[in-house]
Amino acid sequence: AQTVTQSQPEMSVQEAETVTLSCTYDTSESDYYLFWYKQPPSRQMILVIRQEAYKQQNATENRFSVNFQKAAKSFSLKISDSQLGDAAMYFCAYRSARAGNMLTFGGGTRLMVKP
Amino acid sequence: DSGVTQTPKHLITATGQRVTLRCSPRSGDLSVYWYQQSLDQGLQFLIQYYNGEERAKGNILERFSAQQFPDLHSELNLSSLELGDSALYFCASSTGTSEYTGELFFGEGSRLTVL
């Protein structure tokens, strides 16, 4: 079974600075997808960014980018120019390309943004 | 707004009781997923339905059951409730395109408190 580990329960960043959230995963598969979801206090899970394992290029969505290291099974999220609205729980998630759309989530990282 | 609607948003009940959580997926989405989010277990996949049929099963207790109706809405039934069932229950949906991208659209969740 696949597992996803987020080793940082909490992180804090100063507004306008950059922060990196870590995620590692364990799988024996070669074809899969990785995601970062954001859960603000409103509770709703919002997709931040997606990475296909077969793509070597790291995904980027505006201020959000990932560092995908397939051999190391690492998938970190970098948030640039942090904003107060970025404060939330961030979850890393894995989906096998074979297993339908079931997502396996990490334990989450709470990000605090200081003004 | 993800387009996924969950009711009720909050529910307080007693041990031994039974409750039903309801989910309406985004218009056109055929797949519905249920997840449980608790402090000690994190986000756990419970069950997936696709166009009325069960497609995948995760760590769902025998006391829990779900179904997807012809109009594609889904219900999660929780019976013989225990204190440990207190959690946030998420419903998510996906459509044909996102079957290949992995993106799930989440509702705001139903907060269940068992006293």
Side-chain angles (χ1 to χ4, degrees), chain A residues 7-28:
Chain A
S7 59
Q8 306 152 315
E10 279 191 3
M11 292 282 286
S12 66
V13 63
Q14 205 70 34
E15 195 175 6
E17 297 295 311
T18 296
V19 65
T20 299
L21 308 184
S22 301
C23 172
T24 59
Y25 57 95
D26 185 26
T27 183
S28 58

Side-chain angles (χ1 to χ4, degrees), chain A residues 31-77:
Chain A
D31 194 11
Y32 51 87
Y33 300 86
L34 296 165
F35 308 86
W36 279 97
Y37 275 86
K38 170 185 178 181
Q39 186 180 33
S42 66
R43 307 185 324 198
Q44 191 156 11
M45 300 288 286
I46 303 165
L47 179 66
V48 174
I49 199 164
R50 170 181 57 241
Q51 175 78 42
E52 292 87 345
Y54 62 85
K55 289 186 177 178
Q56 293 186 340
Q57 186 173 7
N58 289 324
T60 299
E61 289 287 342
N62 300 313
R63 298 183 293 107
F64 299 87
S65 62
V66 298
N67 183 3
F68 173 48
Q69 302 288 329
K70 191 172 183 179
K73 296 179 183 175
S74 170
F75 183 62
S76 60
L77 174 69

Side-chain angles (χ1 to χ4, degrees), chain B residues 48-86:
Chain B
Q48 176 196 358
Y49 279 84
Y50 179 83
N51 204 19
E53 294 189 1
E54 183 182 307
R55 188 169 187 177
K57 213 167 189 176
N59 299 320
I60 187 167
L61 300 173
E62 286 190 8
R63 300 183 286 108
F64 297 179
S65 65
Q67 54 183 326
Q68 186 179 27
F69 295 86
D71 66 352
L72 302 177
H73 91 272
S74 178
E75 293 181 356
L76 178 67
N77 300 296
L78 314 175
S79 61
S80 302
L81 286 169
E82 302 174 359
L83 296 177
D85 297 327
S86 295

